[in-house]
Amino acid sequence: MLPGGRPLRILGEVRELAPLVLHGVSLDLGASDALDAHYLRELAALAQRFQPAWLSDHLCWTAQAGEHLHDLLPLPQTEETVRHVAARVRAVQDALGRRIAIENVSSYVRFAGDALREGEFLVAISREADCGILLDLNNLYVNAHNHGDDAEAAVAALDPERIFQIHLAGPSEAGALLVDTHDHPVRDEVWTLFERAIARLGPVSTLIEWDDAIPPWERVVAEAARARGIIEKAWGLGAPRSAA
């Protein structure tokens, strides 16, 4: 979001070819610090310039007392958190003049005071804030594995009309844990979850995330083609309804 330079030039060239979506990591939607007004102004200007199909960020906290921790840290799944996050999401949407989508994150601890299951938590915030959901199925699967959650029950709880996009990725193993590293192929269990999610949620725009240990281009394309094939088989369509 800095003025001028090569990144904005490239983004402009890409925007001439296809619609964009903007996906961030710094809105700090779950934090106790005040929302960053400067960041919101810069984000609003970026969105005004490139007119993305939608904006999204993560359902987490990332900073404390002005210090950015550069991680997507989980929140207690409680009614109090729902009210706190929803109020911040509404403030962000007011500042941007548009609805955003919130993405569920992977986690490696659960809070003793959790009162809501993951799907219920997502639904409650999205309804109270009137925002969308960026549904990361890999994160749901990672959490189901790490905490004994039910990923299919989480999907079943969601409002189909609020799902802006689905993310798929491959985690790595760290002993008994799965870690959301985006450096492996999508696991078979996540593909199965995707098939069931698409059957319920509709032909949603879908993104394969692969951030490290990147394979040959043909392998990445094959993963995307597999996702597209699942959508087409389920709905008999040539393209997702909200493809970017």
Side-chain angles (χ1 to χ4, degrees):
M1 296 191 290
L2 298 175
R6 184 171 181 268
L8 285 177
R9 177 178 59 79
I10 292 175
L11 197 58
E13 292 173 358
V14 172
R15 182 64 183 86
E16 291 177 359
L17 299 174
L20 298 173
V21 296
L22 297 180
H23 184 52
V25 295
S26 300
L27 276 177
D28 209 13
L29 293 171
S32 57
D33 288 356
L35 291 167
D36 187 332
H38 174 73
Y39 182 87
L40 281 174
R41 286 194 297 271
E42 293 295 312
L43 182 58
L46 189 69
Q48 179 63 33
R49 178 171 178 176
F50 293 105
Q51 292 298 310
W54 61 80
L55 290 161
S56 58
D57 210 304
H58 296 78
L59 179 56
C60 68
W61 61 283
T62 60
Q64 175 62 28
E67 295 293 328
H68 287 269
L69 304 175
H70 303 290
D71 208 343
L72 306 175
L73 299 168
L75 294 161
Q77 294 176 179
T78 65
E79 295 290 351
E80 182 181 9
T81 306
V82 168
R83 293 189 294 272
H84 174 71
V85 173
R88 290 168 70 86
V89 172
R90 289 195 300 269
V92 167
Q93 293 182 144
D94 288 345
L96 298 177
R98 64 175 71 212
R99 293 169 74 213
I100 67 169
I102 54 174
E103 179 182 354
N104 56 297
V105 299
S106 56
S107 67
Y108 311 99
V109 296
R110 278 285 191 251
F111 292 89
D114 283 354
L116 300 171
R117 291 177 295 182
E118 187 165 11
E120 295 171 333
F121 186 57
L122 271 172
V123 167
I125 293 173
S126 66
R127 288 177 178 173
E128 185 153 338
D130 189 24
C131 68
I133 293 172
L134 196 167
L135 178 61
D136 192 312
L137 290 177
N138 177 67
N139 290 350
L140 278 187
Y141 173 75
V142 165
N143 293 346
H145 175 90
N146 289 344
H147 308 304
D149 294 343
D150 187 336
E152 291 193 24
V155 172
L158 301 176
D159 300 327
E161 67 275 7
R162 292 196 182 274
I163 308 301
F164 283 24
Q165 190 174 47
I166 289 174
H167 280 185
L168 302 172
S172 59
E173 298 180 3
L177 289 177
L178 290 179
V179 182
D180 179 33
T181 50
H182 296 179
D183 59 0
H184 283 73
V186 178
R187 291 173 70 109
D188 289 340
E189 299 93 333
V190 177
W191 282 121
T192 299
L193 185 61
F194 178 62
E195 291 174 358
R196 294 172 181 172
I198 286 296
R200 179 176 184 274
L201 301 174
V204 181
S205 172
T206 299
L207 174 71
I208 306 290
E209 297 183 291
W210 207 320
D211 298 343
D212 202 1
I214 297 174
W217 171 249
E218 292 76 15
R219 179 59 190 274
V220 178
V221 170
E223 293 278 284
R226 182 172 179 178
R228 185 179 298 110
I230 289 170
I231 293 170
E232 292 175 353
K233 181 179 179 181
W235 292 90
L237 301 174
R241 61 169 164 81
S242 54

